[in-house]
Amino acid sequence: MKYKNKNFIFKATVIILLFILVLNGRIAEPFLRIMGKTTRKKGEDTYKYSIPILMYHSISDNKNGFFVVDKNNFRKQMKYIKDNGYETLTLDQVYYHILQDKPFPDKSVVITFDDGYKDNYVNAYPVLKEFDLKATIFVVADYITNGSSTIYSSLKELREMNENGIDIQCHTSSHKKLDKLSYSEQLQDLGLAKEKIENLINNNVKFLAYPYGRYNNDTIKAAKKLGYEMAVTTHMGYCNANEESFKVRRICIPGFTGMNIFKRILY
């Protein structure tokens, strides 16, 4: 028992130390390269075929967590993007580059949010407007209300954001693990979600974010049948222009991400 406890403590300590090193940026760049930064071109073109798609969830008033970013830290990150001349691409633009296998523009980045929390409207949206940055919010169709929810953005708020540079796309109907559903159940869920969001937001829904990052071959088959063009995962890494459009990788930005690592993510 004592041996097992010591072994567990040792492993936990090593993991924590490595995690701290990554966050401090000391081994961030090689780590990120392993996680998907492309090397399919030599020299100056090394990274032109890859782009960071940032994944956020909640933007809080005053706290950080793995899926929660303090609004002041979020503003610092967005200010860095703006001040350093990065272009925020839409998912339409990303899809075009994947479809054509073309290099991405220099200094480009994609900003995405999952779930459609109300604090996206309250805390993130004003910052995105301030710096004139584009973004995509993946919403759960069944969570859209006329204002009764204190957790998720209301229909009015989503419509406002959609009219001002924030693309509203699909995170399914009910946020279930798609790979646990049958093909027919997935087809129904994704179909109802697409129809509802399009009708409510008056937006063309073409892009999907898999809840929990969970999907299977039936998910992709159903999504294609319903007219979705691309789907993003929670797989850590850079989106490459030559990759499968229904297995697009993103980079999660936890609340404790320091500016050193954030800068390296954008390269």
Side-chain angles (χ1 to χ4, degrees), residues 23-266:
L23 290 181
N24 283 338
R26 295 176 185 174
I27 59 173
E29 191 164 351
F31 172 77
L32 289 170
R33 285 183 183 178
I34 291 170
M35 297 306 290
K37 196 181 280 187
T38 184
T39 55
R40 65 193 295 265
K41 294 288 181 179
K42 300 293 185 181
E44 294 180 357
D45 291 335
T46 300
Y47 298 143
K48 287 187 177 181
Y49 282 79
S50 66
I51 186 173
I53 300 180
L54 310 182
M55 178 178 65
Y56 293 94
H57 287 75
S58 176
I59 308 300
S60 169
D61 286 326
N62 56 13
K63 66 180 180 180
N64 289 315
F66 193 86
F67 293 119
V68 181
V69 178
D70 175 77
K71 65 180 180 181
N72 295 316
N73 291 337
F74 179 74
R75 189 180 186 281
K76 289 177 184 177
Q77 294 167 2
M78 297 303 104
K79 188 175 188 300
Y80 181 84
I81 288 173
K82 183 66 175 181
D83 290 349
N84 288 274
Y86 285 89
E87 178 184 1
T88 49
L89 300 189
T90 65
L91 290 182
D92 276 306
Q93 290 171 300
V94 173
Y95 177 66
Y96 169 78
H97 283 274
I98 290 177
L99 195 65
Q100 301 295 326
D101 192 20
K102 288 191 173 185
F104 293 103
D106 289 338
K107 300 186 77 171
S108 56
V109 62
V110 181
I111 302 168
T112 67
F113 301 83
D114 284 8
D115 301 324
Y117 290 111
K118 183 173 284 290
D119 59 33
N120 291 178
Y121 175 80
V122 175
N123 294 327
Y125 176 50
V127 174
L128 295 170
K129 279 203 304 182
E130 177 186 354
F131 296 123
D132 192 26
L133 302 176
K134 300 169 186 173
T136 296
I137 298 178
F138 293 102
V139 300
V140 181
D142 289 352
Y143 297 172
I144 301 173
T145 69
N146 286 319
S148 58
S149 174
T150 59
I151 300 174
Y152 300 100
S153 294
S154 68
L155 176 57
K156 181 180 178 181
E157 291 164 348
L158 292 173
R159 284 175 174 171
E160 179 185 338
M161 289 190 286
N162 188 64
E163 292 171 359
N164 291 278
I166 311 300
D167 191 21
I168 306 300
Q169 293 294 322
C170 183
H171 201 33
T172 73
S173 288
S174 53
H175 206 269
K176 292 179 180 177
K177 295 175 181 177
L178 292 172
D179 61 340
K180 299 296 184 181
L181 304 179
S182 67
Y183 171 72
S184 60
E185 289 172 330
Q186 293 190 61
L187 193 66
Q188 181 180 33
D189 185 288
L190 297 178
L192 289 173
K194 189 176 191 297
E195 181 180 8
K196 184 174 182 177
I197 295 169
E198 287 181 338
N199 290 337
L200 291 176
I201 311 296
N202 192 28
N203 192 30
N204 188 9
V205 173
K206 299 179 287 184
F207 308 118
L208 170 67
Y210 304 124
Y212 312 101
R214 303 282 291 268
Y215 66 95
N216 55 24
N217 290 334
D218 281 344
T219 313
I220 297 173
K221 180 181 175 182
K224 288 180 177 179
K225 181 178 178 65
L226 291 166
Y228 289 93
E229 295 178 350
M230 185 170 69
V232 297
T233 69
T234 58
H235 298 320
M236 179 70 170
Y238 289 78
C239 167
N240 292 330
N242 66 330
E243 76 181 352
E244 161 65 53
S245 62
F246 283 86
K247 298 179 181 179
V248 175
R249 290 173 290 186
R250 291 185 292 173
I251 299 175
C252 180
I253 307 296
F256 36 78
T257 302
M259 286 305 297
N260 283 340
I261 185 66
F262 187 79
K263 292 174 184 178
R264 283 172 168 80
I265 286 170
L266 297 183

